[in-house]
Amino acid sequence: MKRIVSIQDFSCIGKCSQSIALPVLSAMGLECAALPTVLLSAHTAFDGFVSRALTDSIAPITEHWKRLGVRFDAIYTGYLGSAAQIAQVERIIADFGTDENLIFVDPVMADHGRLYAGFAPDFPESMKTLCRHADVITPNVTEACLLTGETYRERHEETFVRALLEKLLALGAKTAIVTGIRTDDAQMGVAVMDEAGKLSLHNTEYVPSVFYGTGDLFAATCAGALTLGLPAERAIALAADYVVQTIRVTAQDPDARWYGVNFEQTLPYLMKRLGEEQK
Ligand code: PXL
């Protein structure tokens, strides 16, 4: 069984980061080690959230792993609390990264044109240095603009998407994936560009509902699929279709929570789709 380490916050309430990564990656048949970077009472969209950075705990944990001789088939990073934590993650990649394992960086920091609460304006600069070490990065359009200096916009023609992906690759990542691409009113898509500069776009139906955690759901699923050996185009299609199916189900639920999607209900869909991919 492949082993992946998920490095991101633990939000006690909010269905994001580790509380998505653990169940999703487990359902995909991967052993998921979870390294929490920050402990939050609830994610940062909740008023009055309480947050404790676990910065001092990270090195002792990973030092123990080194003594145990633990190896990972993939290192997956999401929400990191500060530039200091990014530096620690670079250390983890230096210690645990090999030529064979996958370094998957989701540069979580912003959405809808704005940085998340709590991040300093220079945080994207630090995130750029982490992207340099990645095999795959998965920013949304807002994060991609912050990483490349492109101006944020709501509609994305092919020339814009191509320029965004080329500039992301210039940061040093081998494959760049951008989520939340809107070419027209009816669709929402995910674009991918590989080292050779080949661009492909996977569009899905646009469901006009906004829920938190969908970026984390995409990233966890995509990281899992790549770790299992799916090619990037199939991994993004699987992850995007799973997210859109989950948004549809959540939007129909009269008891839907604004702060997270009903991904628990759609895990069987994911497992069925993954089974078909692996036939
Ligand atoms: O879903 C991204 C995310 C992850 N972790 C924390 C967040 C958010 C988005 O708001 O606040 C703590």
Side-chain angles (χ1 to χ4, degrees), residues 60 68 73 99:
L68 293 176
D73 297 292
D99 287 343

Side-chain angles (χ1 to χ4, degrees), residues 67-123:
R67 291 196 297 279
L68 293 176
V70 179
R71 289 171 196 279
F72 300 107
D73 297 292
I75 300 174
Y76 157 38
T77 77
Y79 180 99
L80 304 170
S82 60
Q85 292 200 343
I86 289 178
Q88 285 182 315
V89 170
E90 290 184 275
R91 179 79 253 150
I92 295 171
I93 292 171
D95 286 347
F96 293 91
T98 66
D99 287 343
E100 281 81 48
N101 62 11
L102 171 76
I103 312 294
F104 185 104
V105 172
D106 184 19
V108 177
M109 57 186 170
D111 207 356
H112 307 292
R114 300 180 47 197
L115 271 179
Y116 290 137
F119 284 130
D122 60 355
F123 188 74

Side-chain angles (χ1 to χ4, degrees), residues 5-49:
V5 59
S6 155
I7 308 176
Q8 48 190 330
D9 68 284
F10 191 93
S11 290
C12 302
I13 306 281
K15 303 210 269 185
C16 64
S17 323
Q18 300 289 17
S19 58
I20 281 182
L22 273 163
V24 167
L25 292 164
S26 301
M28 294 178 84
L30 292 152
E31 176 188 348
C32 179
L35 176 55
T37 54
V38 186
L39 179 63
L40 296 104
S41 54
H43 67 49
T44 61
F46 284 85
D47 260 352
F49 67 89

Side-chain angles (χ1 to χ4, degrees), residues 188 204-207 239-249:
M188 170 111 119
T204 52
E205 175 201 359
Y206 175 65
V207 184
D241 293 351
Y242 173 48
V243 170
V244 95
Q245 175 65 11
T246 304
I247 294 173
R248 271 191 213 111
V249 166

